[in-house]
Amino acid sequence: MPHAHSKPPYISAFPRTTPSPGRPRETPQEKVARLKAAARKAKAGNISAFDRVLIRGRIWADRAHRVVTLSLVGLTAISAIYSTVAITDMILYNRRKTREYLAQQSRLLSTVVTDTAAAGALGTATEELSESRGRN
């Protein structure tokens, strides 16, 4: 006699099946794999030699396509990294050379100014020294 707090008996829309005697405790995935393999085997007899060659060719073409695609992606990544490193190196080299050039020009200018001032103090300043001081 059922009580108010007890659950009703489980009634399934699909009847329970007992495992077949030849394959005890076969999972649904194993059953699907077995049935697909059986269907492929049954269908294999109906496939012509040309179709088998086409199927094999498609498999190899897919593999080749995957290799080429991954190679191109890899080479693109390597090229991007190499380009980034090269451009960074060029920028740093250019900045270093610019600093060296500006330091050299500053030393040259200070030398010219010092020479001009010394020549002016000694009274040996020439027109050429005055012009070089005015240009710099």
Side-chain angles (χ1 to χ4, degrees):
M1 178 161 175
H3 299 285
H5 65 275
S6 66
K7 294 182 182 178
Y10 178 74
I11 299 173
S12 173
F14 302 102
R16 292 186 183 182
T17 58
T18 58
S20 60
R23 301 187 199 319
R25 298 184 187 199
E26 182 180 40
T27 65
Q29 291 85 4
E30 290 171 341
K31 184 176 182 180
V32 168
R34 180 178 53 83
L35 292 175
K36 281 184 178 181
R40 258 194 316 271
K41 188 175 180 182
K43 192 176 180 183
N46 301 337
I47 297 176
S48 68
F50 180 74
D51 288 338
R52 280 193 295 265
V53 170
L54 278 180
I55 291 169
R56 283 287 185 199
R58 285 181 183 153
I59 291 170
W60 282 103
D62 287 344
R63 289 178 184 167
H65 181 260
R66 183 176 297 120
V67 167
V68 169
T69 303
L70 292 176
S71 299
L72 286 174
V73 169
L75 289 174
T76 302
I78 290 170
S79 298
I81 292 169
Y82 181 80
S83 298
T84 303
V85 169
I87 290 170
T88 303
D89 183 55
M90 285 190 290
I91 290 171
L92 294 175
Y93 177 80
N94 187 25
R95 287 179 182 172
R96 185 173 60 246
K97 286 297 185 179
T98 301
R99 267 188 262 119
E100 290 174 5
Y101 173 76
L102 292 175
Q104 179 187 13
Q105 291 299 317
S106 175
R107 283 192 305 273
L108 181 65
L109 180 62
S110 66
T111 304
V112 169
V113 169
T114 305
D115 290 347
T116 305
L122 294 174
T124 59
T126 63
E127 188 68 31
E128 183 180 309
L129 276 175
S130 297
E131 287 176 7
S132 67
R133 183 175 182 192
R135 276 186 274 145
N136 293 328

